Amino acid sequence: MAITLKLVRNLVIFFACLGFATIAQSQTTKSNTAWPKQTIRIVVTFTPGGAPDILARVLAESWQQSLGVPVLVENRPGYGGNIGADLVAKSEPDGYTLLIGTVGIHAINGALYEKMSFHPINDFTPISFLASTPNVLVVNKKLGVSNLHELIELAKAKPNELTFGSSGVGTSLHMSGELFKEMTGVQIRHIPYKGRAQSLPDLISGRITMLFDNLSSSLSLIKAGEVQALGVTTLKRSPAAPEIPTMAEQGLPGFEAISWFSLMAPANLPPAIQKQLNTLTRQTLNQAEVKKKLLASGLDPAPGSPQELSKLIQSETNKWGRVIYKSGAKLD
């Protein structure tokens, strides 16, 4: 009997210790997987100063304060956004490398480029829509035109003499120009740049004739009188610049080309981190001061669910795929 009681007592002690060990291991595992524990970087695929860069820095500033870890913005411009997007697509899906997604990267480049080093949809985890901005057609002030009708007449009188710049091949700014050519029948030459920082000085100096740019990026130059704005590419006028008419109301009904931006992570991001990032994004962009700042810059913040973002990407992919097919544009 004594041996039996001793055996029982030892078994009870053994299983109790085993239970404590399991709990401790579970707590350690939970601690090791907690996010975030290190520096987060947000990759922007264009040069500093544009709309995606503005959004990245707004998120970085807010998150750094709330999370207590460094949040860095890394600009990786070039190749229509594909350079920076490729970097993120091939990063670990751990929540520490994120991308400011664009309509160009996720809805245009797949149809435009013959070969892609990543899949614009399958290689990413959607986090949230961030904001949209109208594109605006701005021209050199010395061109001598004051409205869209005069520009079209000039372009038709001088086929292939006028040029339009963009922040890169395959961007929504490039596609705005292609849509303009398709709807008006004009022949103008595309001059791609690495980013707006290089294109705007050339527009002001007259090296290029016109430029489709994000309204948020060009607004200060328009208000300063350094460039002439002819029309915004949304169906309604922008509250940030209600004096600028739409392209549609100047004889191009249905002309719509919106630049939008999203937050993306590499594919296979753990759902818990995806949810946490979505919550952080919503909290940041719904702050009254942040919304006021972005709206004043021509950006309309509208964070949403990952599912809503996925539906938008699919819809925009179909739309711009048709435009690219009609234009015949293809890149290696």
Side-chain angles (χ1 to χ4, degrees), residues 293-312:
K293 176 182 177 181
L294 294 177
L295 286 169
S297 299
L299 283 162
D300 184 11
S305 70
Q307 293 76 23
E308 290 169 333
L309 175 56
S310 292
K311 288 180 181 179
L312 171 71

Side-chain angles (χ1 to χ4, degrees), residues 148 230-238 244-251:
L148 192 61
L230 297 188
V232 292
T233 62
T234 42
L235 298 179
K236 295 182 179 180
R237 297 194 183 200
S238 170
I244 304 175
T246 67
M247 306 282 279
E249 69 185 82
Q250 296 182 83

Side-chain angles (χ1 to χ4, degrees), residues 160-187:
N160 287 316
E161 289 188 31
L162 305 187
T163 55
F164 78 97
S166 77
S167 58
V169 175
T171 63
S172 71
L173 308 181
H174 173 205
M175 289 297 105
S176 294
E178 294 297 337
L179 185 61
F180 177 67
K181 288 166 61 179
E182 178 190 325
M183 293 184 71
T184 61
V186 300
Q187 299 176 46

